[in-house]
Amino acid sequence: MNCYIHVPFCRSKCAYCAFYSVPGAADELKKRYLERLIRELASCPETFDTVYIGGGTPTFLEEQDLERIFSVLRTAPGAEISMEANPETLTAEKAAMLANYVTRLSMGVQSFDEAKRRKLGRECSDEAIRRALEYSALFPHRNLDLMYAVPGDSMGGFAADLRLAVASGADHVSCYSLTPEEQTRFAGTVIDEDLSADLWKLAGDVLGERGILRYEVSNCARPGAECRHNESVWYGGLLRGFGPAAASYDGMKRYREVESVTGWLEGAPVEEDVLPPDARRREIFVTGLRTVAGWSRQAYLALPGALKSEWETFGRTLAEFPENLREVSPENLRLTEAGLLFWDSFAVELL
Ligand code: SF4
């Protein structure tokens, strides 16, 4: 079982961000959030194989508050515990405490270029990044998030970001293209799609040459450093979510907590996403196609209720796409590197 904890607080709101978070929340609200979270975690009977603490900015919470979360979480031996951190809120003391629990620290750097970070509304100095990277050496696995296709981006500038990410010692790099979401300050920005595709390929090349290999559209890792939590969720693993806006999946239905800290504190009902079982399996199949490995027949047929006829239909549908975009065999269905760029078109066809 996988666990996701959403910490819905940030120091300030980044210009591109559409995640649910409250900037600069008062201590009283954080305290009430924490009390309820601790109660829910303490009363949950599950033992988790993976935990992902995201947000928001988990490191916006105080050291002792974070430690209370770990004190009530039930985790299996060898569990992967990932946590997102922002350089400006990671102190030496916090990092030292977190290193007792967290196996994988994911740092939202976005760019090593201060002017680009300013454009993104990321209030973070070069010095804060340098210090945070030094502290992050305490963790067995480290991810850095980078962003590309930001207006003004160039191949040379992004290549420098990628090289610096590798030089920092990270064994995992996630690269996300800027998406001008409606509710963000980038709404209406036109993305240069050709440049975006070139930058995506560049990420695979620069990181790949240095042993950090793409294993999902946006994620690259040294072999063995892949995020187990995300891999499990992509392939339909069970998920229990805690906190406002957190999603859960029980093998049949998806649930989502209300996107409001106060609503969540007042006990607003969870939203249920009910789909017929075959439509749910199609959704999971399409998500798994974002991985470089794609699906084995055995893995697909292990999904509850999965049918051989569904596997064959997926194979026939993929086979209608140009040969350089997909690999279709009786035992394996996957997209090639060129095909991953067209994942959206495959998704429309398969859903
Ligand atoms: S990108 Fe991260 S730090 Fe920035 S507002 Fe969104 S959740 Fe907060």
Side-chain angles (χ1 to χ4, degrees):
M1 172 67 94
N2 306 294
C3 168
Y4 175 75
I5 299 174
H6 192 80
V7 179
F9 307 113
C10 291
R11 205 171 68 167
S12 58
K13 197 74 189 167
C14 303
Y16 56 89
C17 179
F19 294 118
Y20 175 64
S21 70
V22 179
D27 286 349
E28 178 58 24
L29 189 65
K30 288 197 276 180
K31 191 169 160 234
R32 289 174 61 208
Y33 159 83
L34 201 76
E35 291 310 322
R36 168 148 183 202
L37 179 70
I38 296 291
R39 267 201 315 279
E40 282 197 7
L41 288 172
S43 63
C44 174
E46 305 285 354
T47 299
F48 298 111
D49 302 304
T50 77
V51 177
Y52 194 103
I53 307 176
T57 308
T59 45
F60 188 61
L61 295 179
E62 300 302 326
E63 214 175 303
Q64 62 275 17
D65 295 340
L66 289 166
E67 194 149 30
R68 282 184 68 198
I69 295 177
F70 294 113
S71 71
V72 292
L73 258 179
R74 285 186 189 83
T75 53
E80 175 191 85
I81 303 183
S82 299
M83 191 168 121
E84 291 177 353
N86 273 359
E88 64 275 23
T89 53
L90 188 68
T91 60
E93 295 74 26
K94 225 177 255 185
M97 182 280 290
L98 290 172
N100 294 321
Y101 306 97
V102 172
T103 62
R104 192 176 168 275
L105 192 75
S106 179
M107 191 100 72
V109 168
Q110 312 311 343
S111 175
F112 288 92
D113 174 352
E114 197 160 1
K116 179 169 167 180
R117 289 199 305 277
R118 261 201 308 278
K119 204 178 286 177
L120 290 169
R122 292 284 291 119
E123 291 176 18
C124 181
S125 65
D126 285 342
E127 179 54 20
I129 291 182
R130 192 197 58 73
R131 265 187 279 116
L133 290 177
E134 201 180 296
Y135 308 149
S136 72
L138 294 170
F139 298 85
H141 296 290
R142 285 169 275 167
N143 170 61
L144 291 193
D145 282 350
L146 296 179
M147 190 161 279
Y148 65 95
V150 177
D153 263 5
S154 67
M155 297 289 273
F158 189 47
D161 270 344
L162 292 162
R163 283 195 294 266
L164 286 168
V166 179
S168 78
D171 58 6
H172 192 292
V173 182
S174 300
C175 301
Y176 298 105
S177 138
L178 174 70
T179 309
E181 304 275 4
E182 273 311 310
Q183 62 274 47
T184 70
R185 280 186 266 154
F186 280 101
T189 301
V190 178
I191 301 294
D192 180 339
E193 294 299 341
D194 290 339
L195 177 63
S196 178
D198 288 345
L199 294 169
W200 179 84
K201 285 192 198 111
L202 182 74
D205 293 346
V206 172
L207 296 173
E209 282 161 13
R210 290 159 178 81
I212 298 185
L213 312 177
R214 177 174 279 132
Y215 69 103
E216 193 263 358
V217 173
S218 308
N219 290 284
C220 303
R222 292 202 189 280
E226 298 85 358
C227 177
R228 275 162 44 202
H229 174 91
N230 285 343
E231 284 191 316
S232 174
V233 171
W234 296 330
Y235 284 113
L238 304 185
L239 178 66
R240 175 78 204 272
F242 297 88
S248 299
Y249 178 56
D250 67 4
M252 297 286 286
K253 293 183 195 167
R254 289 196 196 283
Y255 304 87
R256 193 173 163 82
E257 298 281 354
V258 65
E259 267 201 13
S260 153
V261 186
T262 45
W264 179 76
L265 286 168
E266 286 159 8
V270 290
E271 273 173 37
E272 281 186 22
D273 168 25
V274 187
L275 270 184
D278 60 329
R280 179 68 72 209
R281 286 193 294 276
R282 277 201 300 280
E283 184 190 82
I284 293 170
F285 179 80
V286 164
T287 305
L289 268 193
R290 289 176 63 87
T291 63
V292 169
W295 282 93
S296 69
R297 183 175 185 273
Q298 192 188 15
Y300 183 75
L301 294 180
L303 292 177
L307 303 172
K308 283 182 194 153
S309 58
E310 291 171 347
W311 176 257
E312 287 157 9
T313 304
F314 292 144
R316 279 197 299 276
T317 310
L318 287 183
E320 285 166 15
F321 281 82
E323 218 167 314
N324 65 323
L325 300 184
R326 46 70 184 173
E327 273 180 25
V328 175
S329 76
E331 294 304 318
N332 191 249
L333 300 176
R334 64 181 284 271
L335 305 185
T336 60
E337 192 187 5
L340 288 173
L341 270 176
F342 293 94
W343 174 83
D344 291 11
S345 316
F346 285 97
V348 168
E349 215 47 55
L350 289 159
L351 284 173

